[in-house]
Amino acid sequence: MPASMARRHTKATMTKTGSGAVAMKRWQEIEGHPDSVARAVEAGLTPFQAEIVAKRMPEADTDTIRKGFVDVRLANLDSPDTLPGIEAATERLVSAVLLEQVIAIETDHDVDGVTSHAILYRTLVHVMGHAPEKVQSYIGHRLKEGYGLSDAVVDRILAADEKPQLVVTADNGTADEDRIARLAGEGVDTIVTDHHAVPEAGPPRSAVACVSPARDDSAYPDTTIAGCMVAWLLAMRVYRQWCEVQGLDDPGPGRAALIDMLPEVALGTIADCVSLGESVNNRTIVRKGLDRINADDPRPCWRVAKRHTCQHGAPFTEERLAFDVGPRINARGRLDEAMAGVKFLLSKDEGEAEQWWSVLDAENTQRRAVEKAMKDVAIGKAEAQVSKGVSGIMVWMENGHSGVHGIVASRVLERYGRPTLCVSPVHESGDRVTGSARGVEGVHVERALRQVKADLGNRVMKFGGHAGAGGITLERSALDALEESWNAACNEQAQAHGLVLEPLLQVEAWPEGGFDDRRVRELEALAPFGERFRRPVYALKALIQTVKAMGQEKTHLRLALKTDGGTYGAVYFNAAEPGGETQWRSGQSVWVAASVGLNHYMGHCRLQLVVREMRPANQEQAAV
């Protein structure tokens, strides 16, 4: 793309694709930061890599860049000893194992919770040798029991044939003081491990310990880590003390088993959409977790996952975690109970892993059908609100499925660029509703829900979350007030940050000389890409040489795009009607927004563009 176009974008228009008429995003170039580029080069990156990193992490110092991209080692992780509550949690957990007490693991039903569950179970049983019959597993049924350590889950814990002496939570518990107090009253201790925002009342007083980087008194320097990493850090600390108590001279085997759980930590981290920008911890965990999956002989679950998702010798990547494994595990927790995901991760052999993969795959197919039906309804309702100029969209679905709220909210947000809250009735309850919210950068979801709680008072029964996502349960009679309060809270934050809430696609200028294999490999070396460190999307002008429909329903396109720097193969997903009808023709001049990667096929590896949006080159242009 000519340099003169580097600060230009195409106005949003309507175009018809396989999914119907959709609003196209406004293209906005990411600005460069010369000082940041210099720091990145000093850290050891090439000039091309430094430009990419500097645009995403303009404030990062040289040491952060070096540890996050050049010298990626587990030794660079922040010490778990600085997490508040970890000493008390460690002592109680080691004591429970020494005394052969019954330990209950209670976690959330999403991927972060499921991976946390597997990590805690493997640590207790496989690393520390705690008897399997002394470990109980609890994950709340999303529809029937709600989120977190709910009263229904506590009922099950207390009704167990052998009541546990200790409950360890993961990815929830911080906001569950009442339930933890109830357990304490029955003689059951609770250790909370979590990463969600702490309520104004503070960490749960009745817990033996609350291990969380989100606490105000936390000395742990990274508040972005996922719940699964908090659980893994506790496991590392517990094993260290276990070795001291047992007088083990060689802690190597147990430590190796803990390192072998890094794929689970990577999966939970990617799926929970925490930052992969300036968090050295998150970047390191994901990179090292992927290294374990791509090793010669990973555990059975990962061998099966690779076989089903990586074709023609392609490596297992963060995209496979995000788009293949994560959704399958999430689907089970959204539509039913989530233990199938735990059992998949704990599979002893490939046969068992294959069986659980089939269960998760079938559930994911059902989830997609439910999601599509809900999304179609949600888009119609959201369109009416956007036309009125709301800052925060609230979609009420009388016949909605609360297990798919978060996904639907994400789809609406992606389409309209505004924080979105999807709400439906609570399962088997006529007077309560529940919702899931997703936010944009600059609108903190948990803070918005906290404002809703302040506005609606006791009509809000429960809420929680973090910057990008959250959930709420409240009285059905408060629906109108919820819509007004949510919009006001989002609008207040948007105005405070000077945000223009609209669908944006951030793009970068096509590099001079285009791409060759060397430059692509420089790009791939910056992985993992994800939240707060998005894979670059480049804007370029091209001529369509060939176009061919592909896929079972012919809704995807394979293109050859000619540019000044050469001709590139490209794919454009969902760009045609079923059967292959499309507006794109050979000989058309187009503006293309596309990411660049490697396509592995039949033993060969080729550069390939993945088109995000495309529009005719004669479409009206406007300066940014």
Side-chain angles (χ1 to χ4, degrees):
M1 186 170 78
S4 61
M5 290 301 302
R7 286 178 171 79
R8 301 175 72 85
H9 74 278
T10 307
K11 286 183 177 178
T13 62
M14 300 294 288
T15 187
K16 191 156 184 194
T17 69
S19 57
V22 296
M24 299 189 77
K25 299 177 176 66
R26 179 167 67 86
W27 295 7
Q28 182 182 67
E29 187 193 9
I30 305 175
E31 296 294 335
H33 299 268
D35 292 343
S36 302
V37 172
R39 290 196 296 272
V41 170
E42 183 182 352
L45 297 178
T46 68
F48 172 69
Q49 292 173 322
E51 288 279 357
I52 295 171
V53 172
K55 288 177 180 178
R56 288 152 181 78
M57 300 164 51
E59 304 300 325
D61 58 37
T62 302
D63 191 53
T64 296
I65 298 172
R66 178 180 58 80
K67 290 178 178 178
F69 297 91
V70 181
D71 183 25
V72 182
R73 296 181 294 147
L74 291 176
N76 292 333
L77 296 177
D78 290 317
S79 171
D81 295 344
T82 58
L83 280 167
I86 198 165
E87 289 301 324
T90 298
E91 291 178 9
R92 181 64 186 90
L93 202 47
V94 170
S95 173
V97 174
L98 290 173
L99 295 173
E100 299 182 352
Q101 293 181 335
V102 176
I103 303 171
I105 303 170
E106 185 280 323
T107 66
D108 190 18
H109 35 56
D110 67 0
V111 180
D112 195 9
V114 167
T115 53
S116 299
H117 206 112
I119 289 165
L120 292 172
Y121 184 93
R122 282 175 60 83
T123 299
L124 289 171
V125 175
H126 299 298
V127 177
M128 301 175 70
H130 204 50
E133 62 270 18
K134 295 288 186 180
V135 179
Q136 300 175 356
S137 289
Y138 297 91
I139 298 180
H141 192 293
R142 187 173 193 137
L143 298 183
K144 298 177 181 179
E145 296 178 316
Y147 172 79
L149 185 60
S150 64
D151 280 309
V153 173
V154 171
D155 288 343
R156 283 202 285 136
I157 293 173
L158 295 177
D161 291 339
E162 189 172 5
K163 187 171 67 176
Q165 286 84 33
L166 175 65
V167 173
V168 183
T169 80
D171 195 34
N172 65 36
T174 300
D176 292 314
E177 162 59 23
D178 291 346
R179 273 69 63 194
I180 294 171
R182 185 179 162 203
L183 287 169
E186 295 290 336
V188 181
D189 290 339
T190 302
I191 294 171
V192 171
T193 73
D194 202 355
H195 71 129
H196 292 98
V198 179
E200 291 182 352
R205 300 179 301 278
S206 300
V208 171
C210 178
V211 185
S212 170
R215 286 176 49 169
D216 289 340
D217 59 345
S218 175
Y220 190 80
D222 189 350
T223 60
T224 71
I225 62 173
C228 58
M229 187 166 180
V230 178
W232 184 75
L233 289 173
L234 175 61
M236 294 288 284
R237 183 65 188 86
V238 165
Y239 181 66
R240 189 202 317 165
Q241 184 157 324
W242 169 255
C243 290
E244 293 173 1
V245 171
Q246 296 292 97
L248 296 179
D249 295 328
D250 182 14
R255 177 175 171 77
L258 288 165
I259 298 301
D260 209 32
M261 300 180 205
L262 287 175
E264 282 87 331
V265 191
L267 171 59
T269 297
I270 288 289
D272 219 48
C273 296
V274 295
S275 174
L276 290 179
E278 295 191 17
S279 173
V280 171
N281 295 292
N282 291 338
R283 293 195 58 80
T284 301
I285 284 293
V286 174
R287 176 85 72 88
K288 294 302 181 182
L290 289 171
D291 287 347
R292 300 296 296 177
I293 297 173
N294 285 311
D296 291 337
D297 189 26
R299 295 205 324 275
C301 62
W302 297 111
R303 290 200 294 272
V304 168
K306 285 177 68 176
R307 182 158 57 243
H308 283 282
T309 64
C310 296
Q311 298 180 345
H312 308 296
F316 198 94
T317 64
E318 66 272 23
E319 283 89 357
R320 301 283 68 79
L321 291 176
F323 301 118
D324 291 318
V325 183
R328 284 171 170 80
I329 290 179
N330 244 338
R332 183 69 176 189
R334 293 181 188 281
L335 304 184
D336 204 326
E337 58 83 28
M339 281 304 298
V342 176
K343 292 173 181 176
F344 168 70
L345 294 173
L346 295 177
S347 296
K348 302 180 191 67
D349 54 54
E350 288 190 44
E352 183 181 356
E354 282 283 3
Q355 290 178 352
W356 287 114
W357 180 271
S358 296
V359 170
L360 298 173
D361 190 52
E363 205 77 28
N364 193 44
T365 299
Q366 181 183 351
R367 186 270 306 168
R368 286 199 298 264
V370 173
E371 175 197 334
K372 183 181 185 306
M374 284 182 61
K375 185 187 77 171
D376 291 344
V377 173
I379 291 296
K381 292 177 176 288
E383 184 75 41
Q385 294 184 41
V386 171
S387 66
K388 297 177 182 177
V390 302
S391 295
I393 298 170
M394 195 203 89
V395 177
W396 162 248
M397 287 175 283
E398 179 71 49
N399 299 314
H401 192 300
S402 62
V404 191
H405 277 158
I407 300 176
V408 173
S410 295
R411 299 291 182 264
V412 174
L413 181 151
E414 181 180 1
R415 187 182 184 100
Y416 297 108
R418 306 179 192 212
T420 301
L421 173 63
C422 287
V423 187
S424 293
V426 170
H427 182 74
E428 296 180 348
S429 173
D431 59 356
R432 288 183 297 149
V433 298
T434 183
S436 294
R438 296 295 183 268
V440 299
E441 187 172 352
V443 178
H444 192 290
V445 170
E446 193 276 338
R447 291 173 191 161
L449 293 177
R450 190 181 295 274
Q451 182 59 51
V452 169
K453 167 64 176 175
D455 291 344
L456 274 58
N458 291 335
R459 288 181 289 177
V460 174
M461 300 163 184
K462 194 173 185 180
F463 78 94
H466 46 73
I472 188 169
T473 301
L474 68 160
E475 295 176 1
R476 182 171 182 147
S477 61
L479 272 174
D480 290 341
L482 173 64
E483 181 174 356
E484 182 179 346
S485 178
W486 168 253
N487 178 51
C490 294
N491 186 57
E492 182 178 338
Q493 290 194 47
Q495 289 192 353
H497 291 90
L499 300 181
V500 177
L501 296 173
E502 62 180 335
L504 290 175
L505 179 61
Q506 292 189 316
V507 298
E508 301 177 41
W510 185 251
E512 186 176 349
F515 275 89
D516 54 19
D517 289 344
R518 176 188 59 79
R519 184 164 275 176
V520 174
R521 295 189 186 283
E522 284 186 30
L523 174 64
E524 294 300 318
L526 296 178
F529 295 99
E531 193 71 19
R532 305 299 296 272
F533 194 77
R534 297 293 185 187
R535 178 179 286 274
V537 175
Y538 293 99
L540 67 151
K541 193 173 184 180
L543 180 72
I544 299 178
Q545 288 193 316
T546 62
V547 55
K548 180 181 180 181
M550 63 177 189
Q552 186 174 3
E553 296 184 356
K554 303 297 183 182
T555 55
H556 312 313
L557 300 179
R558 185 173 299 282
L559 307 159
L561 299 174
K562 183 179 181 181
T563 73
D564 291 341
T567 300
Y568 300 91
V571 292
Y572 192 2
F573 296 110
N574 299 311
E577 297 290 346
E581 182 183 349
T582 176
Q583 71 181 93
W584 308 112
R585 300 286 184 270
S586 299
Q588 274 184 295
S589 182
V590 291
W591 283 104
V592 181
S595 58
V596 181
L598 296 172
N599 178 36
H600 296 263
Y601 184 71
M602 301 294 289
H604 298 284
C605 182
R606 296 184 178 89
L607 186 158
Q608 177 179 263
L609 305 185
V610 179
V611 178
R612 295 285 300 278
E613 280 192 5
M614 193 161 70
R615 56 195 63 173
N618 61 359
Q619 187 170 304
E620 182 182 0
Q621 303 289 315
V624 172

